[in-house]
Amino acid sequence: MVKIPESELILNKDKSVYHLNLLPKHISDTIITVGDPNRVYQVSKYFDDVDFEMNRREFITHVGTYKGKKITVISTGMGTDNIEIFLTELDALANIDFRKREEKAKKKKLKIIRIGTSGALQDIPLGSHLLSDYAVGLDTLMCFYNLPQDDVEKEMGRKLKDQIGLPFEPYFVRGSQSLKEQLKGDDMIIGNTVTCPGFYAPQGRRIRVDLKYPRLMETLNYFHHDDLWLTNFEMETAGYYSMARLLGHEVISANAIIANRIQNTFAKNATEVIDSLIQKVLDRI
């Protein structure tokens, strides 16, 4: 096995991984992630108990049990750059021997469920809960990785690049089908999620600065490939799905729809919409 240099996988003095500040014993087989650090407490308040907490940068971790099952909940902050750090270090905790600085011969496959907020691109009611089947990244994270994609994913990326007029090709990637089956129900919409590298111009919002792609919202709203339509957008899901594919983990994104960008509406009860999604996910995992 090739040893991983100290400069590549950085460990703290207590041998915890650099950014997350966690040891391998702190992660469970099932992990819930949230963007907002305050939302960690919104999840862990339903735990039977919390036996470990770590606060490091935007990465807040609680480890506890829910109905007897060990669960780790971690906040990631916003954006696919944070997701790359998070999933790389999470995978290291599961699949790297820190003492030997070598990959473990037997790899562990983690189950990761993102619970986040999202804005609808189609006629989807506020307060809905949506599972992301495909995600499309409008960011450039995968320009630095060799992401394996099937022919359909590649074709959709080329098609969307041409329709928006981007100087790079968006990446399409599908989430975990097993976790989708586990979480879905009549009260969950199955959709396809756009991941944007920002909240304002990359999501078609104009405040004081003119947009380079003023028809972005219209293009995303009307884009489809056969029966696949884009339903919502946020800032992390494509990063999750692509890194999970590269590292061999199962990830699904569960979205609380608190805005509808086509109708220009925003949920007045956003906290309750998110809270009900948290309870739904906990009960199904």
Side-chain angles (χ1 to χ4, degrees):
M1 289 284 187
V2 177
K3 288 188 179 295
I4 303 170
E6 293 182 5
S7 60
E8 306 304 291
L9 178 61
I10 304 169
L11 302 180
N12 300 310
K13 288 183 179 180
D14 64 353
K15 302 303 180 184
S16 62
V17 71
Y18 185 57
H19 295 93
L20 300 184
N21 212 177
L22 299 177
L23 295 167
K25 67 181 180 180
H26 296 139
I27 63 168
S28 54
D29 292 340
T30 299
I31 297 164
I32 292 175
T33 67
V34 294
D36 183 353
N38 289 325
R39 202 170 295 147
V40 171
Y41 301 87
Q42 200 173 348
V43 175
S44 67
K45 71 181 182 183
Y46 293 109
F47 287 3
D48 306 325
D49 54 64
V50 175
D51 50 41
F52 175 80
E53 296 184 27
M54 174 55 67
N55 298 344
R56 180 69 176 264
R57 304 177 186 239
E58 59 268 71
F59 301 109
I60 309 299
T61 302
H62 287 185
V63 183
T65 57
Y66 179 76
K67 295 183 178 179
K69 181 184 176 106
K70 182 180 177 181
I71 294 178
T72 304
V73 54
I74 309 177
S75 63
T76 64
M78 294 184 289
T80 58
D81 51 347
N82 275 13
I83 301 309
E84 189 236 14
I85 293 169
F86 167 74
L87 269 173
T88 300
E89 294 194 1
L90 192 67
D91 176 76
L93 289 165
N95 293 315
I96 301 293
D97 183 322
F98 284 3
R99 185 177 62 83
K100 295 181 179 179
R101 288 190 163 272
E102 296 176 352
E103 289 188 34
K104 295 178 180 177
K106 185 177 181 180
K107 300 297 189 297
K108 179 182 287 188
K109 185 186 291 286
L110 301 172
K111 295 181 179 180
I112 303 163
I113 300 99
R114 170 196 176 267
I115 299 177
T117 56
S118 185
L121 284 165
Q122 304 295 338
D123 187 18
I124 297 173
L126 297 180
S128 299
H129 295 155
L130 182 148
L131 292 174
S132 305
D133 189 13
Y134 281 92
V136 53
L138 299 187
D139 63 300
T140 57
L141 177 61
M142 284 302 114
C143 294
F144 297 89
Y145 288 94
N146 293 315
L147 175 69
Q149 294 176 285
D150 62 30
D151 291 341
V152 173
E153 291 169 341
K154 291 177 182 177
E155 183 180 353
M156 289 190 292
R158 290 190 293 266
K159 186 176 178 181
L160 186 57
K161 173 182 183 291
D162 292 340
Q163 291 193 16
I164 297 176
L166 292 172
F168 62 91
E169 196 166 289
Y171 58 99
F172 275 79
V173 60
R174 204 171 196 182
S176 169
Q177 297 303 289
S178 60
L179 285 177
K180 184 181 78 172
E181 291 300 314
Q182 184 176 349
L183 293 180
K184 76 176 187 179
D186 293 339
D187 53 357
M188 285 275 208
I189 297 168
I190 304 298
N192 303 292
T193 300
V194 181
T195 294
C196 303
F199 186 76
Y200 291 99
Q203 293 187 24
R205 290 183 173 94
R206 182 189 181 281
I207 306 301
R208 288 204 317 117
V209 181
D210 288 338
L211 303 177
K212 184 172 183 178
Y213 302 104
R215 299 186 63 186
L216 178 64
M217 287 285 297
E218 180 183 352
T219 302
L220 296 175
N221 175 243
Y222 285 105
F223 177 86
H224 63 98
H225 182 83
D226 296 330
D227 293 330
L228 186 150
W229 292 75
L230 303 177
T231 54
N232 63 302
F233 55 9
E234 43 72 87
M235 295 175 60
E236 291 91 34
T237 297
Y240 274 110
Y241 286 9
S242 55
M243 292 300 297
R245 179 175 291 180
L246 289 164
L247 294 167
H249 301 295
E250 300 287 336
V251 180
I252 197 70
S253 177
N255 303 267
I257 303 298
I258 62 170
N260 190 302
R261 295 294 305 289
I262 303 304
Q263 299 171 354
N264 290 320
T265 54
F266 189 86
K268 293 181 173 60
N269 61 336
T271 301
E272 289 80 3
V273 175
I274 297 163
D275 193 63
S276 62
L277 178 59
I278 289 169
Q279 293 181 65
K280 189 179 294 184
V281 168
L282 284 170
D283 285 339
R284 295 178 187 181
I285 61 173

